[in-house]
PDB file of all heavy atoms in Angstrom:
ATOM      1  N   THR A  28    -166.123 116.578  30.604  1.00  0.00           N
ATOM      2  CA  THR A  28    -165.136 117.299  31.397  1.00  0.00           C
ATOM      3  C   THR A  28    -165.262 118.791  31.124  1.00  0.00           C
ATOM      4  O   THR A  28    -165.117 119.233  29.973  1.00  0.00           O
ATOM      5  CB  THR A  28    -163.706 116.839  31.062  1.00  0.00           C
ATOM      6  OG1 THR A  28    -163.594 115.427  31.262  1.00  0.00           O
ATOM      7  CG2 THR A  28    -162.692 117.549  31.950  1.00  0.00           C
ATOM      8  N   LYS A  29    -165.562 119.551  32.169  1.00  0.00           N
ATOM      9  CA  LYS A  29    -165.621 121.011  32.047  1.00  0.00           C
ATOM     10  C   LYS A  29    -164.355 121.591  32.670  1.00  0.00           C
ATOM     11  O   LYS A  29    -164.073 121.382  33.845  1.00  0.00           O
ATOM     12  CB  LYS A  29    -166.854 121.572  32.757  1.00  0.00           C
ATOM     13  CG  LYS A  29    -166.970 123.098  32.608  1.00  0.00           C
ATOM     14  CD  LYS A  29    -168.236 123.641  33.230  1.00  0.00           C
ATOM     15  CE  LYS A  29    -168.139 123.704  34.734  1.00  0.00           C
ATOM     16  NZ  LYS A  29    -169.290 124.409  35.345  1.00  0.00           N
ATOM     17  N   THR A  30    -163.584 122.293  31.863  1.00  0.00           N
ATOM     18  CA  THR A  30    -162.346 122.913  32.340  1.00  0.00           C
ATOM     19  C   THR A  30    -162.547 124.412  32.437  1.00  0.00           C
ATOM     20  O   THR A  30    -162.990 125.054  31.475  1.00  0.00           O
ATOM     21  CB  THR A  30    -161.177 122.604  31.388  1.00  0.00           C
ATOM     22  OG1 THR A  30    -161.052 121.183  31.224  1.00  0.00           O
ATOM     23  CG2 THR A  30    -159.873 123.149  31.953  1.00  0.00           C
ATOM     24  N   THR A  31    -162.262 124.957  33.602  1.00  0.00           N
ATOM     25  CA  THR A  31    -162.391 126.399  33.834  1.00  0.00           C
ATOM     26  C   THR A  31    -161.007 127.015  33.945  1.00  0.00           C
ATOM     27  O   THR A  31    -160.164 126.535  34.712  1.00  0.00           O
ATOM     28  CB  THR A  31    -163.183 126.688  35.116  1.00  0.00           C
ATOM     29  OG1 THR A  31    -164.481 126.085  35.024  1.00  0.00           O
ATOM     30  CG2 THR A  31    -163.353 128.189  35.326  1.00  0.00           C
ATOM     31  N   TYR A  32    -160.776 128.062  33.153  1.00  0.00           N
ATOM     32  CA  TYR A  32    -159.495 128.766  33.154  1.00  0.00           C
ATOM     33  C   TYR A  32    -159.692 130.139  33.816  1.00  0.00           C
ATOM     34  O   TYR A  32    -160.695 130.813  33.564  1.00  0.00           O
ATOM     35  CB  TYR A  32    -158.981 128.946  31.726  1.00  0.00           C
ATOM     36  CG  TYR A  32    -158.810 127.643  30.977  1.00  0.00           C
ATOM     37  CD1 TYR A  32    -159.867 127.109  30.231  1.00  0.00           C
ATOM     38  CD2 TYR A  32    -157.607 126.955  31.009  1.00  0.00           C
ATOM     39  CE1 TYR A  32    -159.713 125.918  29.540  1.00  0.00           C
ATOM     40  CE2 TYR A  32    -157.450 125.757  30.314  1.00  0.00           C
ATOM     41  CZ  TYR A  32    -158.505 125.242  29.593  1.00  0.00           C
ATOM     42  OH  TYR A  32    -158.367 124.058  28.916  1.00  0.00           O
ATOM     43  N   LYS A  33    -158.726 130.534  34.623  1.00  0.00           N
ATOM     44  CA  LYS A  33    -158.819 131.824  35.328  1.00  0.00           C
ATOM     45  C   LYS A  33    -157.497 132.566  35.209  1.00  0.00           C
ATOM     46  O   LYS A  33    -156.440 132.024  35.540  1.00  0.00           O
ATOM     47  CB  LYS A  33    -159.153 131.594  36.804  1.00  0.00           C
ATOM     48  CG  LYS A  33    -159.216 132.875  37.632  1.00  0.00           C
ATOM     49  CD  LYS A  33    -159.516 132.559  39.095  1.00  0.00           C
ATOM     50  CE  LYS A  33    -159.535 133.801  39.949  1.00  0.00           C
ATOM     51  NZ  LYS A  33    -159.805 133.488  41.374  1.00  0.00           N
ATOM     52  N   LEU A  34    -157.562 133.803  34.713  1.00  0.00           N
ATOM     53  CA  LEU A  34    -156.360 134.619  34.619  1.00  0.00           C
ATOM     54  C   LEU A  34    -155.980 135.101  36.011  1.00  0.00           C
ATOM     55  O   LEU A  34    -156.750 135.814  36.672  1.00  0.00           O
ATOM     56  CB  LEU A  34    -156.586 135.808  33.680  1.00  0.00           C
ATOM     57  CG  LEU A  34    -155.379 136.727  33.470  1.00  0.00           C
ATOM     58  CD1 LEU A  34    -154.208 135.959  32.869  1.00  0.00           C
ATOM     59  CD2 LEU A  34    -155.747 137.907  32.582  1.00  0.00           C
ATOM     60  N   ALA A  35    -154.786 134.689  36.465  1.00  0.00           N
ATOM     61  CA  ALA A  35    -154.338 135.026  37.824  1.00  0.00           C
ATOM     62  C   ALA A  35    -153.132 135.957  37.778  1.00  0.00           C
ATOM     63  O   ALA A  35    -152.166 135.787  38.531  1.00  0.00           O
ATOM     64  CB  ALA A  35    -154.005 133.749  38.594  1.00  0.00           C
ATOM     65  N   GLY A  36    -153.185 136.928  36.890  1.00  0.00           N
ATOM     66  CA  GLY A  36    -152.133 137.934  36.841  1.00  0.00           C
ATOM     67  C   GLY A  36    -150.931 137.501  36.024  1.00  0.00           C
ATOM     68  O   GLY A  36    -150.923 136.459  35.366  1.00  0.00           O
ATOM     69  N   MET A  37    -149.905 138.329  36.068  1.00  0.00           N
ATOM     70  CA  MET A  37    -148.658 138.066  35.356  1.00  0.00           C
ATOM     71  C   MET A  37    -147.601 137.588  36.345  1.00  0.00           C
ATOM     72  O   MET A  37    -147.621 137.942  37.520  1.00  0.00           O
ATOM     73  CB  MET A  37    -148.175 139.329  34.639  1.00  0.00           C
ATOM     74  CG  MET A  37    -149.195 139.941  33.692  1.00  0.00           C
ATOM     75  SD  MET A  37    -149.570 138.891  32.263  1.00  0.00           S
ATOM     76  CE  MET A  37    -148.058 139.107  31.310  1.00  0.00           C
ATOM     77  N   THR A  38    -146.683 136.771  35.839  1.00  0.00           N
ATOM     78  CA  THR A  38    -145.613 136.268  36.686  1.00  0.00           C
ATOM     79  C   THR A  38    -144.332 136.219  35.873  1.00  0.00           C
ATOM     80  O   THR A  38    -144.353 136.202  34.637  1.00  0.00           O
ATOM     81  CB  THR A  38    -145.944 134.868  37.244  1.00  0.00           C
ATOM     82  OG1 THR A  38    -144.948 134.479  38.193  1.00  0.00           O
ATOM     83  CG2 THR A  38    -145.997 133.828  36.133  1.00  0.00           C
ATOM     84  N   ASP A  39    -143.188 136.195  36.584  1.00  0.00           N
ATOM     85  CA  ASP A  39    -141.898 136.170  35.905  1.00  0.00           C
ATOM     86  C   ASP A  39    -141.494 134.741  35.578  1.00  0.00           C
ATOM     87  O   ASP A  39    -141.577 133.849  36.420  1.00  0.00           O
ATOM     88  CB  ASP A  39    -140.817 136.819  36.779  1.00  0.00           C
ATOM     89  CG  ASP A  39    -139.472 136.833  36.090  1.00  0.00           C
ATOM     90  OD1 ASP A  39    -139.232 137.749  35.281  1.00  0.00           O
ATOM     91  OD2 ASP A  39    -138.655 135.914  36.338  1.00  0.00           O
ATOM     92  N   LYS A  40    -141.065 134.501  34.342  1.00  0.00           N
ATOM     93  CA  LYS A  40    -140.559 133.205  33.911  1.00  0.00           C
ATOM     94  C   LYS A  40    -139.330 133.447  33.046  1.00  0.00           C
ATOM     95  O   LYS A  40    -139.437 133.961  31.936  1.00  0.00           O
ATOM     96  CB  LYS A  40    -141.643 132.438  33.138  1.00  0.00           C
ATOM     97  CG  LYS A  40    -141.176 131.096  32.574  1.00  0.00           C
ATOM     98  CD  LYS A  40    -140.776 130.112  33.673  1.00  0.00           C
ATOM     99  CE  LYS A  40    -140.386 128.780  33.083  1.00  0.00           C
ATOM    100  NZ  LYS A  40    -139.947 127.810  34.126  1.00  0.00           N
ATOM    101  N   ASP A  41    -138.165 133.109  33.608  1.00  0.00           N
ATOM    102  CA  ASP A  41    -136.899 133.287  32.886  1.00  0.00           C
ATOM    103  C   ASP A  41    -136.713 134.721  32.408  1.00  0.00           C
ATOM    104  O   ASP A  41    -136.289 134.973  31.258  1.00  0.00           O
ATOM    105  CB  ASP A  41    -136.816 132.321  31.691  1.00  0.00           C
ATOM    106  CG  ASP A  41    -136.874 130.856  32.128  1.00  0.00           C
ATOM    107  OD1 ASP A  41    -136.410 130.559  33.245  1.00  0.00           O
ATOM    108  OD2 ASP A  41    -137.385 130.027  31.356  1.00  0.00           O
ATOM    109  N   GLY A  42    -137.095 135.651  33.270  1.00  0.00           N
ATOM    110  CA  GLY A  42    -136.894 137.064  32.956  1.00  0.00           C
ATOM    111  C   GLY A  42    -137.957 137.699  32.093  1.00  0.00           C
ATOM    112  O   GLY A  42    -137.841 138.867  31.719  1.00  0.00           O
ATOM    113  N   LYS A  43    -139.022 136.942  31.769  1.00  0.00           N
ATOM    114  CA  LYS A  43    -140.109 137.488  30.954  1.00  0.00           C
ATOM    115  C   LYS A  43    -141.408 137.470  31.741  1.00  0.00           C
ATOM    116  O   LYS A  43    -141.630 136.574  32.555  1.00  0.00           O
ATOM    117  CB  LYS A  43    -140.275 136.675  29.666  1.00  0.00           C
ATOM    118  CG  LYS A  43    -139.086 136.713  28.730  1.00  0.00           C
ATOM    119  CD  LYS A  43    -139.376 135.950  27.457  1.00  0.00           C
ATOM    120  CE  LYS A  43    -140.445 136.624  26.623  1.00  0.00           C
ATOM    121  NZ  LYS A  43    -140.672 135.950  25.331  1.00  0.00           N
ATOM    122  N   GLN A  44    -142.266 138.443  31.489  1.00  0.00           N
ATOM    123  CA  GLN A  44    -143.584 138.481  32.112  1.00  0.00           C
ATOM    124  C   GLN A  44    -144.564 137.655  31.280  1.00  0.00           C
ATOM    125  O   GLN A  44    -144.789 137.930  30.102  1.00  0.00           O
ATOM    126  CB  GLN A  44    -144.083 139.929  32.224  1.00  0.00           C
ATOM    127  CG  GLN A  44    -143.362 140.744  33.287  1.00  0.00           C
ATOM    128  CD  GLN A  44    -143.690 140.229  34.686  1.00  0.00           C
ATOM    129  OE1 GLN A  44    -144.832 140.222  35.120  1.00  0.00           O
ATOM    130  NE2 GLN A  44    -142.666 139.781  35.407  1.00  0.00           N
ATOM    131  N   VAL A  45    -145.117 136.620  31.905  1.00  0.00           N
ATOM    132  CA  VAL A  45    -146.065 135.740  31.212  1.00  0.00           C
ATOM    133  C   VAL A  45    -147.363 135.666  32.010  1.00  0.00           C
ATOM    134  O   VAL A  45    -147.386 135.921  33.219  1.00  0.00           O
ATOM    135  CB  VAL A  45    -145.471 134.319  31.021  1.00  0.00           C
ATOM    136  CG1 VAL A  45    -144.249 134.373  30.137  1.00  0.00           C
ATOM    137  CG2 VAL A  45    -145.139 133.679  32.365  1.00  0.00           C
ATOM    138  N   ALA A  46    -148.445 135.329  31.323  1.00  0.00           N
ATOM    139  CA  ALA A  46    -149.755 135.219  31.971  1.00  0.00           C
ATOM    140  C   ALA A  46    -149.830 133.910  32.748  1.00  0.00           C
ATOM    141  O   ALA A  46    -149.510 132.842  32.224  1.00  0.00           O
ATOM    142  CB  ALA A  46    -150.852 135.272  30.928  1.00  0.00           C
ATOM    143  N   ASN A  47    -150.255 134.007  34.011  1.00  0.00           N
ATOM    144  CA  ASN A  47    -150.441 132.826  34.858  1.00  0.00           C
ATOM    145  C   ASN A  47    -151.927 132.470  34.839  1.00  0.00           C
ATOM    146  O   ASN A  47    -152.765 133.229  35.320  1.00  0.00           O
ATOM    147  CB  ASN A  47    -149.977 133.117  36.284  1.00  0.00           C
ATOM    148  CG  ASN A  47    -150.131 131.913  37.190  1.00  0.00           C
ATOM    149  OD1 ASN A  47    -150.080 130.780  36.725  1.00  0.00           O
ATOM    150  ND2 ASN A  47    -150.314 132.148  38.470  1.00  0.00           N
ATOM    151  N   ILE A  48    -152.243 131.318  34.267  1.00  0.00           N
ATOM    152  CA  ILE A  48    -153.638 130.911  34.104  1.00  0.00           C
ATOM    153  C   ILE A  48    -153.898 129.680  34.968  1.00  0.00           C
ATOM    154  O   ILE A  48    -153.276 128.633  34.776  1.00  0.00           O
ATOM    155  CB  ILE A  48    -153.949 130.599  32.624  1.00  0.00           C
ATOM    156  CG1 ILE A  48    -153.689 131.848  31.773  1.00  0.00           C
ATOM    157  CG2 ILE A  48    -155.386 130.118  32.460  1.00  0.00           C
ATOM    158  CD1 ILE A  48    -153.729 131.592  30.283  1.00  0.00           C
ATOM    159  N   GLU A  49    -154.797 129.820  35.948  1.00  0.00           N
ATOM    160  CA  GLU A  49    -155.145 128.702  36.818  1.00  0.00           C
ATOM    161  C   GLU A  49    -156.177 127.813  36.125  1.00  0.00           C
ATOM    162  O   GLU A  49    -157.049 128.305  35.403  1.00  0.00           O
ATOM    163  CB  GLU A  49    -155.701 129.209  38.150  1.00  0.00           C
ATOM    164  CG  GLU A  49    -154.674 130.001  38.960  1.00  0.00           C
ATOM    165  CD  GLU A  49    -155.252 130.562  40.245  1.00  0.00           C
ATOM    166  OE1 GLU A  49    -156.498 130.502  40.417  1.00  0.00           O
ATOM    167  OE2 GLU A  49    -154.472 131.070  41.070  1.00  0.00           O
ATOM    168  N   VAL A  50    -156.063 126.504  36.359  1.00  0.00           N
ATOM    169  CA  VAL A  50    -156.927 125.537  35.682  1.00  0.00           C
ATOM    170  C   VAL A  50    -157.647 124.669  36.713  1.00  0.00           C
ATOM    171  O   VAL A  50    -157.025 124.161  37.644  1.00  0.00           O
ATOM    172  CB  VAL A  50    -156.110 124.631  34.745  1.00  0.00           C
ATOM    173  CG1 VAL A  50    -157.024 123.669  33.998  1.00  0.00           C
ATOM    174  CG2 VAL A  50    -155.305 125.464  33.756  1.00  0.00           C
ATOM    175  N   ALA A  51    -158.953 124.496  36.529  1.00  0.00           N
ATOM    176  CA  ALA A  51    -159.744 123.600  37.383  1.00  0.00           C
ATOM    177  C   ALA A  51    -160.670 122.791  36.488  1.00  0.00           C
ATOM    178  O   ALA A  51    -161.237 123.319  35.526  1.00  0.00           O
ATOM    179  CB  ALA A  51    -160.554 124.394  38.405  1.00  0.00           C
ATOM    180  N   THR A  52    -160.819 121.506  36.784  1.00  0.00           N
ATOM    181  CA  THR A  52    -161.690 120.659  35.956  1.00  0.00           C
ATOM    182  C   THR A  52    -162.751 119.982  36.807  1.00  0.00           C
ATOM    183  O   THR A  52    -162.542 119.707  37.990  1.00  0.00           O
ATOM    184  CB  THR A  52    -160.889 119.567  35.215  1.00  0.00           C
ATOM    185  OG1 THR A  52    -160.206 118.746  36.182  1.00  0.00           O
ATOM    186  CG2 THR A  52    -159.873 120.178  34.286  1.00  0.00           C
ATOM    187  N   GLU A  53    -163.886 119.718  36.188  1.00  0.00           N
ATOM    188  CA  GLU A  53    -164.994 118.999  36.832  1.00  0.00           C
ATOM    189  C   GLU A  53    -165.495 117.934  35.865  1.00  0.00           C
ATOM    190  O   GLU A  53    -165.799 118.224  34.711  1.00  0.00           O
ATOM    191  CB  GLU A  53    -166.131 119.954  37.185  1.00  0.00           C
ATOM    192  CG  GLU A  53    -167.295 119.266  37.884  1.00  0.00           C
ATOM    193  CD  GLU A  53    -168.434 120.221  38.195  1.00  0.00           C
ATOM    194  OE1 GLU A  53    -168.324 121.418  37.827  1.00  0.00           O
ATOM    195  OE2 GLU A  53    -169.427 119.771  38.779  1.00  0.00           O
ATOM    196  N   VAL A  54    -165.562 116.691  36.350  1.00  0.00           N
ATOM    197  CA  VAL A  54    -165.958 115.564  35.512  1.00  0.00           C
ATOM    198  C   VAL A  54    -167.350 115.093  35.917  1.00  0.00           C
ATOM    199  O   VAL A  54    -167.669 115.002  37.103  1.00  0.00           O
ATOM    200  CB  VAL A  54    -164.959 114.390  35.653  1.00  0.00           C
ATOM    201  CG1 VAL A  54    -165.397 113.199  34.804  1.00  0.00           C
ATOM    202  CG2 VAL A  54    -163.560 114.839  35.252  1.00  0.00           C
ATOM    203  N   THR A  55    -168.180 114.795  34.917  1.00  0.00           N
ATOM    204  CA  THR A  55    -169.497 114.197  35.174  1.00  0.00           C
ATOM    205  C   THR A  55    -169.665 112.991  34.246  1.00  0.00           C
ATOM    206  O   THR A  55    -169.105 112.956  33.146  1.00  0.00           O
ATOM    207  CB  THR A  55    -170.643 115.203  34.919  1.00  0.00           C
ATOM    208  OG1 THR A  55    -170.546 115.702  33.575  1.00  0.00           O
ATOM    209  CG2 THR A  55    -170.589 116.357  35.909  1.00  0.00           C
ATOM    210  N   MET A  56    -170.448 112.012  34.705  1.00  0.00           N
ATOM    211  CA  MET A  56    -170.700 110.808  33.929  1.00  0.00           C
ATOM    212  C   MET A  56    -172.167 110.738  33.540  1.00  0.00           C
ATOM    213  O   MET A  56    -173.046 111.119  34.317  1.00  0.00           O
ATOM    214  CB  MET A  56    -170.335 109.562  34.740  1.00  0.00           C
ATOM    215  CG  MET A  56    -168.866 109.461  35.132  1.00  0.00           C
ATOM    216  SD  MET A  56    -167.769 109.166  33.740  1.00  0.00           S
ATOM    217  CE  MET A  56    -168.343 107.546  33.209  1.00  0.00           C
ATOM    218  N   GLU A  57    -172.413 110.274  32.327  1.00  0.00           N
ATOM    219  CA  GLU A  57    -173.782 110.067  31.867  1.00  0.00           C
ATOM    220  C   GLU A  57    -173.907 108.639  31.366  1.00  0.00           C
ATOM    221  O   GLU A  57    -173.157 108.212  30.476  1.00  0.00           O
ATOM    222  CB  GLU A  57    -174.119 111.055  30.749  1.00  0.00           C
ATOM    223  CG  GLU A  57    -175.559 110.957  30.285  1.00  0.00           C
ATOM    224  CD  GLU A  57    -175.918 112.029  29.276  1.00  0.00           C
ATOM    225  OE1 GLU A  57    -175.316 113.114  29.315  1.00  0.00           O
ATOM    226  OE2 GLU A  57    -176.791 111.759  28.430  1.00  0.00           O
ATOM    227  N   ALA A  58    -174.825 107.880  31.962  1.00  0.00           N
ATOM    228  CA  ALA A  58    -174.964 106.463  31.626  1.00  0.00           C
ATOM    229  C   ALA A  58    -175.493 106.291  30.210  1.00  0.00           C
ATOM    230  O   ALA A  58    -176.268 107.105  29.709  1.00  0.00           O
ATOM    231  CB  ALA A  58    -175.884 105.775  32.619  1.00  0.00           C
ATOM    232  N   ALA A  59    -175.063 105.190  29.580  1.00  0.00           N
ATOM    233  CA  ALA A  59    -175.550 104.860  28.240  1.00  0.00           C
ATOM    234  C   ALA A  59    -176.826 104.046  28.359  1.00  0.00           C
ATOM    235  O   ALA A  59    -177.098 103.424  29.396  1.00  0.00           O
ATOM    236  CB  ALA A  59    -174.490 104.060  27.487  1.00  0.00           C
ATOM    237  N   GLU A  60    -177.608 104.063  27.310  1.00  0.00           N
ATOM    238  CA  GLU A  60    -178.804 103.231  27.302  1.00  0.00           C
ATOM    239  C   GLU A  60    -178.402 101.766  27.204  1.00  0.00           C
ATOM    240  O   GLU A  60    -177.526 101.392  26.421  1.00  0.00           O
ATOM    241  CB  GLU A  60    -179.692 103.602  26.114  1.00  0.00           C
ATOM    242  CG  GLU A  60    -180.279 105.009  26.200  1.00  0.00           C
ATOM    243  CD  GLU A  60    -181.210 105.303  25.052  1.00  0.00           C
ATOM    244  OE1 GLU A  60    -181.480 104.359  24.272  1.00  0.00           O
ATOM    245  OE2 GLU A  60    -181.668 106.452  24.940  1.00  0.00           O
ATOM    246  N   ALA A  61    -179.024 100.932  28.041  1.00  0.00           N
ATOM    247  CA  ALA A  61    -178.674  99.516  28.083  1.00  0.00           C
ATOM    248  C   ALA A  61    -178.975  98.847  26.748  1.00  0.00           C
ATOM    249  O   ALA A  61    -180.023  99.081  26.148  1.00  0.00           O
ATOM    250  CB  ALA A  61    -179.427  98.810  29.203  1.00  0.00           C
ATOM    251  N   GLU A  62    -178.004  98.042  26.273  1.00  0.00           N
ATOM    252  CA  GLU A  62    -178.184  97.296  25.030  1.00  0.00           C
ATOM    253  C   GLU A  62    -177.989  95.809  25.309  1.00  0.00           C
ATOM    254  O   GLU A  62    -176.942  95.389  25.777  1.00  0.00           O
ATOM    255  CB  GLU A  62    -177.175  97.771  23.976  1.00  0.00           C
ATOM    256  CG  GLU A  62    -177.367  99.222  23.559  1.00  0.00           C
ATOM    257  CD  GLU A  62    -176.397  99.621  22.468  1.00  0.00           C
ATOM    258  OE1 GLU A  62    -175.674  98.735  21.981  1.00  0.00           O
ATOM    259  OE2 GLU A  62    -176.354 100.810  22.114  1.00  0.00           O
ATOM    260  N   GLY A  63    -178.999  95.020  25.041  1.00  0.00           N
ATOM    261  CA  GLY A  63    -178.886  93.572  25.264  1.00  0.00           C
ATOM    262  C   GLY A  63    -178.671  93.259  26.726  1.00  0.00           C
ATOM    263  O   GLY A  63    -179.366  93.785  27.600  1.00  0.00           O
ATOM    264  N   ASP A  64    -177.687  92.387  26.991  1.00  0.00           N
ATOM    265  CA  ASP A  64    -177.405  91.966  28.362  1.00  0.00           C
ATOM    266  C   ASP A  64    -176.346  92.825  29.040  1.00  0.00           C
ATOM    267  O   ASP A  64    -175.963  92.556  30.178  1.00  0.00           O
ATOM    268  CB  ASP A  64    -176.928  90.498  28.371  1.00  0.00           C
ATOM    269  CG  ASP A  64    -178.011  89.553  27.858  1.00  0.00           C
ATOM    270  OD1 ASP A  64    -179.205  89.879  28.049  1.00  0.00           O
ATOM    271  OD2 ASP A  64    -177.656  88.513  27.274  1.00  0.00           O
TER     272      ASP A  64
END
């Protein structure tokens, strides 16, 4: 799983300025070597 974080500016949360970080993930599968049956 590769997760990419992106700073998307500051935003107000309960009267405080906090960093808004966008998140995107990409999943890949890699097969295991066959064992037995």
Side-chain angles (χ1 to χ4, degrees):
T28 303
K29 182 176 76 172
T30 305
T31 302
Y32 302 90
K33 178 182 178 181
L34 181 60
M37 305 294 286
T38 187
D39 181 83
K40 177 63 177 178
D41 299 330
K43 296 183 67 176
Q44 287 292 299
V45 297
N47 181 28
I48 300 170
E49 296 177 350
V50 183
T52 59
E53 181 182 2
V54 178
T55 56
M56 298 291 296
E57 184 174 332
E60 294 183 6
E62 296 183 6
D64 297 330

